[in-house]
Protein backbone atom coordinates (compact mmCIF):
# COMPACT_ATOMS: atom_id res chain seq x y z
CA UNK A 1 0.00 0.00 0.00
CA UNK A 2 2.74 2.48 0.94
CA UNK A 3 5.63 1.00 -1.10
CA UNK A 4 7.95 0.57 1.88
CA UNK A 5 9.47 -2.46 3.56
CA UNK A 6 7.91 -1.87 6.98
CA UNK A 7 9.91 -4.60 8.69
CA UNK A 8 13.21 -2.95 7.72
CA UNK A 9 11.90 0.57 8.32
CA UNK A 10 10.55 0.02 11.82
CA UNK A 11 13.56 -2.04 12.87
CA UNK A 12 15.85 0.81 11.78
CA UNK A 13 13.78 3.45 13.60
CA UNK A 14 13.38 1.40 16.79
CA UNK A 15 17.11 0.63 17.07
CA UNK A 16 18.51 4.03 16.07
CA UNK A 17 15.92 6.38 17.62
CA UNK A 18 14.25 4.27 20.32
CA UNK A 19 12.91 7.09 22.50
CA UNK A 20 11.31 8.98 19.60
CA UNK A 21 10.03 5.77 18.04
CA UNK A 22 8.37 4.75 21.32
CA UNK A 23 6.38 8.02 21.28
CA UNK A 24 4.76 6.96 18.01
CA UNK A 25 2.75 4.40 19.93
CA UNK A 26 2.95 1.86 17.15
CA UNK A 27 3.36 -0.97 19.62
CA UNK A 28 4.04 -4.37 18.14
CA UNK A 29 5.89 -4.08 14.83
CA UNK A 30 3.65 -6.77 13.38
CA UNK A 31 0.42 -4.98 14.26
CA UNK A 32 -0.35 -3.93 10.68
CA UNK A 33 -3.73 -2.35 11.40
CA UNK A 34 -2.87 0.08 14.19
CA UNK A 35 -4.05 3.63 13.55
CA UNK A 36 -0.74 5.13 14.69
CA UNK A 37 1.14 2.93 12.26
CA UNK A 38 -1.12 3.85 9.33
CA UNK A 39 -0.86 7.56 10.11
CA UNK A 40 2.94 7.43 10.22
CA UNK A 41 3.18 5.50 6.95
CA UNK A 42 0.75 7.89 5.28
CA UNK A 43 2.85 10.83 6.47
CA UNK A 44 6.02 9.19 5.14
CA UNK A 45 4.36 8.47 1.80
CA UNK A 46 3.16 12.07 1.53
CA UNK A 47 6.65 13.43 2.17
CA UNK A 48 8.24 11.11 -0.43
CA UNK A 49 5.57 12.10 -2.95
CA UNK A 50 6.14 15.81 -2.27
CA UNK A 51 9.93 15.89 -1.86
CA UNK A 52 11.24 12.66 -3.42
CA UNK A 53 13.09 9.84 -1.69
CA UNK A 54 16.53 11.48 -2.05
CA UNK A 55 15.53 14.51 0.02
CA UNK A 56 13.67 12.36 2.56
CA UNK A 57 16.74 10.16 3.07
CA UNK A 58 19.00 13.20 3.41
CA UNK A 59 16.83 15.29 5.72
CA UNK A 60 14.36 12.91 7.38
CA UNK A 61 10.72 13.76 8.14
CA UNK A 62 8.61 15.43 10.79
CA UNK A 63 5.51 13.65 12.09
CA UNK A 64 3.57 15.89 14.41
CA UNK A 65 6.01 17.04 17.09
CA UNK A 66 8.40 14.18 16.31
CA UNK A 67 11.39 14.23 13.95
CA UNK A 68 12.93 11.12 12.40
CA UNK A 69 16.20 10.50 10.61
CA UNK A 70 15.78 7.97 7.82
CA UNK A 71 19.42 7.60 6.79
CA UNK A 72 22.84 8.29 8.30
CA UNK A 73 25.36 9.62 5.79
CA UNK A 74 29.09 9.03 5.55
CA UNK A 75 30.75 9.98 8.84
CA UNK A 76 34.18 11.46 9.41
CA UNK A 77 36.48 8.78 10.84
CA UNK A 78 37.18 10.75 14.03
CA UNK A 79 33.47 11.05 14.92
CA UNK A 80 32.88 7.75 16.73
CA UNK A 81 29.16 8.35 17.32
CA UNK A 82 28.55 9.15 13.65
CA UNK A 83 30.48 6.04 12.59
CA UNK A 84 28.30 3.93 14.90
CA UNK A 85 25.07 5.47 13.56
CA UNK A 86 26.13 5.02 9.93
CA UNK A 87 26.79 1.32 10.57
CA UNK A 88 23.13 0.89 11.58
CA UNK A 89 21.79 1.75 8.12
CA UNK A 90 20.01 -1.26 6.64
CA UNK A 91 20.77 -1.97 2.96
CA UNK A 92 18.55 -4.77 1.65
CA UNK A 93 17.49 -6.51 -1.56
CA UNK A 94 14.10 -8.08 -2.26
CA UNK A 95 13.70 -10.58 -5.09
CA UNK A 96 10.48 -10.88 -7.10
CA UNK A 97 8.97 -7.82 -5.46
CA UNK A 98 5.19 -7.63 -5.88
CA UNK A 99 4.40 -3.95 -6.47
CA UNK A 100 0.69 -3.88 -7.32
CA UNK A 101 -2.44 -4.37 -5.25
CA UNK A 102 -4.51 -4.70 -8.44
CA UNK A 103 -2.68 -7.75 -9.81
CA UNK A 104 0.18 -10.11 -9.00
CA UNK A 105 2.84 -8.46 -11.14
CA UNK A 106 6.36 -8.43 -9.74
CA UNK A 107 9.76 -7.10 -10.75
CA UNK A 108 13.06 -8.97 -10.51
CA UNK A 109 14.84 -7.02 -7.79
CA UNK A 110 14.41 -3.95 -5.62
CA UNK A 111 17.07 -2.36 -3.41
CA UNK A 112 15.99 -0.67 -0.18
CA UNK A 113 17.73 1.61 2.30
CA UNK A 114 16.16 1.47 5.76
CA UNK A 115 12.96 0.14 4.22
CA UNK A 116 12.64 2.82 1.54
CA UNK A 117 12.91 1.58 -2.07
CA UNK A 118 15.70 3.31 -3.99
CA UNK A 119 16.53 1.15 -7.06
CA UNK A 120 14.54 -1.34 -9.15
CA UNK A 121 16.03 -3.89 -11.56
CA UNK A 122 14.82 -5.96 -14.49
CA UNK A 123 17.33 -8.74 -15.26
CA UNK A 124 17.80 -10.62 -18.54
CA UNK A 125 20.42 -13.08 -19.76
CA UNK A 126 21.59 -14.68 -23.00
CA UNK A 127 20.54 -18.17 -21.86
CA UNK A 128 16.91 -17.14 -22.31
CA UNK A 129 17.82 -15.19 -25.47
CA UNK A 130 16.79 -11.89 -23.89
CA UNK A 131 18.88 -8.72 -23.68
CA UNK A 132 18.98 -5.39 -21.92
CA UNK A 133 16.65 -4.09 -24.64
CA UNK A 134 13.98 -6.57 -23.54
CA UNK A 135 14.34 -5.26 -20.00
CA UNK A 136 13.97 -1.67 -21.25
CA UNK A 137 10.82 -2.62 -23.17
CA UNK A 138 9.44 -4.33 -20.07
CA UNK A 139 9.86 -1.11 -18.09
CA UNK A 140 8.20 0.93 -20.83
CA UNK A 141 5.36 -1.50 -21.47
CA UNK A 142 4.56 -3.21 -18.15
CA UNK A 143 5.67 -0.84 -15.40
CA UNK A 144 2.83 1.63 -14.86
CA UNK A 145 4.06 4.96 -13.39
CA UNK A 146 0.72 5.27 -11.61
CA UNK A 147 1.79 2.42 -9.34
CA UNK A 148 3.21 3.88 -6.14
CA UNK A 149 6.63 2.27 -6.56
CA UNK A 150 7.12 3.74 -10.06
CA UNK A 151 5.92 7.29 -9.37
CA UNK A 152 8.40 10.08 -10.00
CA UNK A 153 10.91 10.50 -7.17
CA UNK A 154 9.85 7.32 -5.38
CA UNK A 155 12.98 5.44 -6.53
CA UNK A 156 16.29 7.04 -7.42
CA UNK A 157 16.88 4.99 -10.58
CA UNK A 158 15.64 1.95 -12.54
CA UNK A 159 18.24 -0.43 -13.99
CA UNK A 160 17.80 -2.70 -17.01
CA UNK A 161 20.55 -5.34 -16.88
CA UNK A 162 21.78 -8.33 -18.88
CA UNK A 163 25.10 -10.18 -18.81
CA UNK A 164 26.69 -7.73 -21.27
CA UNK A 165 25.22 -4.26 -20.69
CA UNK A 166 23.37 -2.00 -18.24
CA UNK A 167 20.92 0.85 -18.96
CA UNK A 168 19.27 3.25 -16.52
CA UNK A 169 16.22 5.51 -16.31
CA UNK A 170 15.23 7.98 -13.59
CA UNK A 171 11.60 8.58 -14.61
CA UNK A 172 9.22 6.01 -16.10
CA UNK A 173 6.45 7.47 -18.26
CA UNK A 174 4.41 4.39 -19.16
CA UNK A 175 3.42 2.90 -22.49
CA UNK A 176 1.17 5.79 -23.47
CA UNK A 177 4.06 8.16 -24.20
CA UNK A 178 6.70 8.13 -26.90
CA UNK A 179 9.76 5.91 -26.68
CA UNK A 180 11.88 8.85 -25.53
CA UNK A 181 9.59 9.63 -22.58
CA UNK A 182 11.03 6.76 -20.54
CA UNK A 183 14.57 7.79 -21.37
CA UNK A 184 17.10 5.02 -20.79
CA UNK A 185 20.81 5.91 -20.90
CA UNK A 186 23.77 3.49 -21.00
CA UNK A 187 25.37 2.70 -17.65
CA UNK A 188 28.35 0.90 -19.18
CA UNK A 189 32.08 1.20 -18.54
CA UNK A 190 32.95 1.65 -22.23
CA UNK A 191 35.31 -0.54 -24.24
CA UNK A 192 38.02 0.31 -26.81
CA UNK A 193 37.00 3.99 -26.84
CA UNK A 194 33.44 2.94 -27.64
CA UNK A 195 30.22 1.59 -26.17
CA UNK A 196 29.64 -1.56 -24.11
CA UNK A 197 31.78 -3.26 -21.47
CA UNK A 198 35.20 -4.94 -21.59
CA UNK A 199 35.56 -8.72 -21.39
CA UNK A 200 35.63 -9.95 -17.80
CA UNK A 201 37.87 -12.99 -17.21
CA UNK A 202 36.34 -13.46 -13.75
CA UNK A 203 32.64 -13.49 -14.59
CA UNK A 204 29.87 -11.47 -16.19
CA UNK A 205 30.69 -8.25 -18.02
CA UNK A 206 28.18 -6.43 -15.83
CA UNK A 207 29.36 -7.56 -12.40
CA UNK A 208 30.85 -4.07 -11.80
CA UNK A 209 27.28 -2.95 -11.10
CA UNK A 210 27.02 -4.84 -7.81
CA UNK A 211 30.75 -4.99 -7.03
CA UNK A 212 31.51 -1.28 -7.45
CA UNK A 213 28.20 0.62 -7.49
CA UNK A 214 25.72 -1.26 -5.29
CA UNK A 215 27.83 -1.42 -2.15
CA UNK A 216 26.71 0.46 0.97
CA UNK A 217 29.73 2.77 0.74
CA UNK A 218 29.17 3.64 -2.93
CA UNK A 219 25.39 4.05 -2.65
CA UNK A 220 25.89 6.38 0.31
CA UNK A 221 28.37 8.41 -1.72
CA UNK A 222 25.97 8.65 -4.68
CA UNK A 223 23.01 9.69 -2.52
CA UNK A 224 25.03 12.35 -0.72
CA UNK A 225 27.03 13.85 -3.59
CA UNK A 226 25.45 13.01 -6.95
CA UNK A 227 21.76 12.06 -7.03
CA UNK A 228 19.36 14.99 -6.91
CA UNK A 229 16.18 16.51 -8.35
CA UNK A 230 16.43 19.74 -10.35
CA UNK A 231 13.82 22.11 -11.78
CA UNK A 232 14.16 22.71 -15.52
CA UNK A 233 12.39 25.51 -17.41
CA UNK A 234 11.29 25.05 -21.02
CA UNK A 235 12.72 28.08 -22.86
CA UNK A 236 9.84 28.13 -25.37
CA UNK A 237 6.83 27.66 -23.07
CA UNK A 238 8.23 28.90 -19.75
CA UNK A 239 6.82 25.80 -18.06
CA UNK A 240 8.90 24.21 -15.33
CA UNK A 241 9.26 20.52 -14.61
CA UNK A 242 11.27 18.44 -12.18
CA UNK A 243 14.03 16.16 -13.46
CA UNK A 244 15.73 13.49 -11.37
CA UNK A 245 19.49 13.14 -11.92
CA UNK A 246 21.52 9.96 -11.38
CA UNK A 247 25.18 9.86 -12.46
CA UNK A 248 26.22 7.74 -15.42
CA UNK A 249 29.11 5.34 -14.95
CA UNK A 250 31.71 7.46 -16.74
CA UNK A 251 30.72 10.53 -14.69
CA UNK A 252 31.20 8.67 -11.42
CA UNK A 253 34.43 7.23 -12.74
CA UNK A 254 36.06 10.51 -13.74
CA UNK A 255 35.09 12.40 -10.58
CA UNK A 256 36.24 9.55 -8.32
CA UNK A 257 39.58 9.23 -10.15
CA UNK A 258 40.29 12.96 -9.91
CA UNK A 259 39.34 13.12 -6.23
CA UNK A 260 41.50 10.07 -5.45
CA UNK A 261 44.52 11.50 -7.28
CA UNK A 262 44.23 14.88 -5.55
CA UNK A 263 43.77 13.12 -2.21
CA UNK A 264 47.04 11.27 -2.78
CA UNK A 265 49.14 13.93 -4.51
CA UNK A 266 47.64 17.22 -3.31
CA UNK A 267 47.14 20.36 -5.40
CA UNK A 268 49.21 21.41 -8.38
CA UNK A 269 48.72 18.71 -11.03
CA UNK A 270 47.00 19.11 -14.41
CA UNK A 271 44.45 16.77 -15.96
CA UNK A 272 42.83 16.46 -19.37
CA UNK A 273 39.38 14.82 -19.55
CA UNK A 274 37.92 14.03 -22.97
CA UNK A 275 34.13 13.87 -23.21
CA UNK A 276 31.85 13.24 -26.16
CA UNK A 277 28.88 15.50 -26.91
CA UNK A 278 25.89 14.93 -24.65
CA UNK A 279 27.86 12.92 -22.11
CA UNK A 280 27.07 15.15 -19.15
CA UNK A 281 30.11 17.45 -18.90
CA UNK A 282 28.24 20.09 -16.90
CA UNK A 283 27.21 17.71 -14.14
CA UNK A 284 30.68 16.14 -14.01
CA UNK A 285 32.25 19.59 -13.56
CA UNK A 286 29.71 20.62 -10.90
CA UNK A 287 30.00 17.36 -8.93
CA UNK A 288 33.80 17.63 -9.01
CA UNK A 289 33.87 21.29 -7.95
CA UNK A 290 31.56 20.71 -4.97
CA UNK A 291 33.60 17.77 -3.71
CA UNK A 292 37.03 19.35 -4.32
CA UNK A 293 36.18 22.28 -2.06
CA UNK A 294 35.52 19.95 0.88
CA UNK A 295 38.56 17.72 0.21
CA UNK A 296 41.10 17.54 3.04
CA UNK A 297 44.60 16.08 3.31
CA UNK A 298 46.31 15.63 6.68
CA UNK A 299 43.48 17.54 8.31
CA UNK A 300 43.78 20.63 6.06
CA UNK A 301 41.76 21.76 3.05
CA UNK A 302 43.55 20.98 -0.22
CA UNK A 303 42.08 24.05 -1.98
CA UNK A 304 41.06 27.50 -0.77
CA UNK A 305 38.89 28.19 -3.82
CA UNK A 306 37.55 26.38 -6.86
CA UNK A 307 37.35 28.53 -10.02
CA UNK A 308 35.50 27.23 -13.07
CA UNK A 309 36.18 28.98 -16.38
CA UNK A 310 33.51 28.01 -18.91
CA UNK A 311 31.48 29.18 -21.87
CA UNK A 312 28.48 27.11 -20.74
CA UNK A 313 25.86 29.24 -19.00
CA UNK A 314 24.06 26.14 -17.75
CA UNK A 315 26.82 25.67 -15.16
CA UNK A 316 25.72 28.89 -13.44
CA UNK A 317 22.61 27.02 -12.35
Amino acid sequence: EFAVDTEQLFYFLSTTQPATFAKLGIGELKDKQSMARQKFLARLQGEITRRGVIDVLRHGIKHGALSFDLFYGKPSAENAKAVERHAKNRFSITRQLHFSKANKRSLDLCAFINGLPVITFELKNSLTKQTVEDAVEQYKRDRDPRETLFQFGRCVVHFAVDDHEVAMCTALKGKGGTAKDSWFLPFNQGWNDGAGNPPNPNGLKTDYLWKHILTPERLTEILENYAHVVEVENQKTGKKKQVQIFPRYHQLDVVRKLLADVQENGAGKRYLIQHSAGSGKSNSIAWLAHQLISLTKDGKSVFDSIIVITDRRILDK
Side-chain angles (χ1 to χ4, degrees):
E1 183 183 355
F2 297 105
V4 294
D5 184 335
T6 52
E7 188 175 330
Q8 297 282 359
L9 171 66
F10 290 142
Y11 186 90
F12 169 76
L13 293 176
S14 64
T15 54
T16 59
Q17 301 147 82
T20 313
F21 181 75
K23 292 176 183 176
L24 274 178
I26 286 178
E28 289 294 320
L29 298 185
K30 294 179 180 177
D31 179 9
K32 296 184 178 180
Q33 303 306 319
S34 78
M35 187 66 72
R37 173 193 172 104
Q38 294 297 101
K39 283 184 177 179
F40 176 77
L41 291 174
R43 172 67 175 172
L44 174 61
Q45 170 151 313
E47 287 297 291
I48 295 175
T49 301
R50 184 172 67 87
R51 294 156 49 197
V53 72
I54 298 169
D55 194 71
V56 167
L57 285 169
R58 284 178 178 168
H59 301 115
I61 65 166
K62 283 186 166 56
H63 181 56
L66 305 176
S67 296
F68 291 94
D69 294 320
L70 291 166
F71 179 64
Y72 294 116
K74 182 181 178 181
S76 54
E78 60 272 12
N79 188 333
K81 188 174 182 181
V83 170
E84 182 184 346
R85 278 195 313 224
H86 177 67
K88 291 183 178 179
N89 286 320
R90 299 180 70 80
F91 295 82
S92 62
I93 289 278
T94 299
R95 294 176 59 188
Q96 293 304 127
L97 181 78
H98 289 266
F99 56 82
S100 176
K101 293 184 74 177
N103 56 57
K104 293 186 177 181
R105 280 187 171 170
S106 64
L107 55 82
D108 290 330
L109 286 178
C110 188
F112 294 80
I113 297 179
N114 300 327
L116 304 187
V118 290
I119 305 173
T120 71
F121 306 81
E122 292 294 353
L123 310 177
K124 306 298 175 187
N125 69 78
S126 51
L127 292 175
T128 58
K129 293 183 169 54
Q130 288 189 304
T131 69
V132 68
E133 291 302 323
D134 293 296
V136 168
E137 281 305 309
Q138 191 170 17
Y139 269 121
K140 291 180 177 181
R141 185 183 65 247
D142 297 334
R143 303 298 175 241
D144 189 340
R146 290 172 295 185
E147 294 280 2
T148 303
L149 183 66
F150 300 122
Q151 290 172 1
F152 178 82
R154 175 70 51 169
C155 287
V156 182
V157 68
H158 306 283
F159 278 125
V161 189
D162 68 16
D163 32 17
H164 295 284
E165 296 194 30
V166 181
M168 68 172 211
C169 179
T170 57
L172 299 177
K173 303 293 187 180
K175 60 184 177 182
T178 64
K180 197 173 180 180
D181 285 343
S182 293
W183 194 26
F184 277 81
L185 290 166
F187 194 83
N188 296 316
Q189 300 174 91
W191 170 237
N192 279 344
D193 294 328
N197 286 301
N200 179 6
N202 301 311
L204 300 180
K205 285 184 178 181
T206 50
D207 72 3
Y208 62 89
L209 182 62
W210 54 90
K211 287 184 175 178
H212 304 303
I213 303 296
L214 302 177
T215 66
E217 179 186 5
R218 291 304 191 198
L219 268 184
T220 297
E221 175 197 1
I222 289 170
L223 286 171
E224 289 191 317
N225 298 313
Y226 296 89
H228 59 288
V229 174
V230 296
E231 197 171 71
V232 177
E233 183 177 340
N234 186 310
Q235 297 298 321
K236 292 181 180 179
T237 64
K239 289 184 177 180
K240 295 180 180 179
K241 68 172 183 177
Q242 288 190 318
V243 176
Q244 188 161 257
I245 305 293
F246 189 87
R248 293 166 68 181
Y249 184 89
H250 66 271
Q251 293 174 310
L252 280 173
D253 189 49
V254 72
V255 174
R256 284 173 176 171
K257 283 177 177 174
L258 288 167
L259 290 171
D261 196 89
V262 172
Q263 185 79 67
E264 184 176 347
N265 298 305
K269 292 185 69 178
R270 293 184 176 196
Y271 309 87
L272 177 65
I273 294 89
Q274 180 176 325
H275 272 262
S276 59
S279 59
K281 292 181 286 291
S282 298
N283 276 334
S284 298
I285 293 168
W287 286 323
L288 177 64
H290 280 285
Q291 291 179 75
L292 282 174
I293 200 64
S294 58
L295 200 64
T296 60
K297 185 174 173 63
D298 302 325
K300 296 180 181 178
S301 294
V302 178
F303 300 105
D304 299 310
S305 303
I306 307 296
I307 301 170
V308 180
I309 302 171
T310 177
D311 61 353
R312 296 171 65 81
R313 286 186 183 177
I314 191 171
L315 269 164
D316 294 340
K317 298 178 182 179

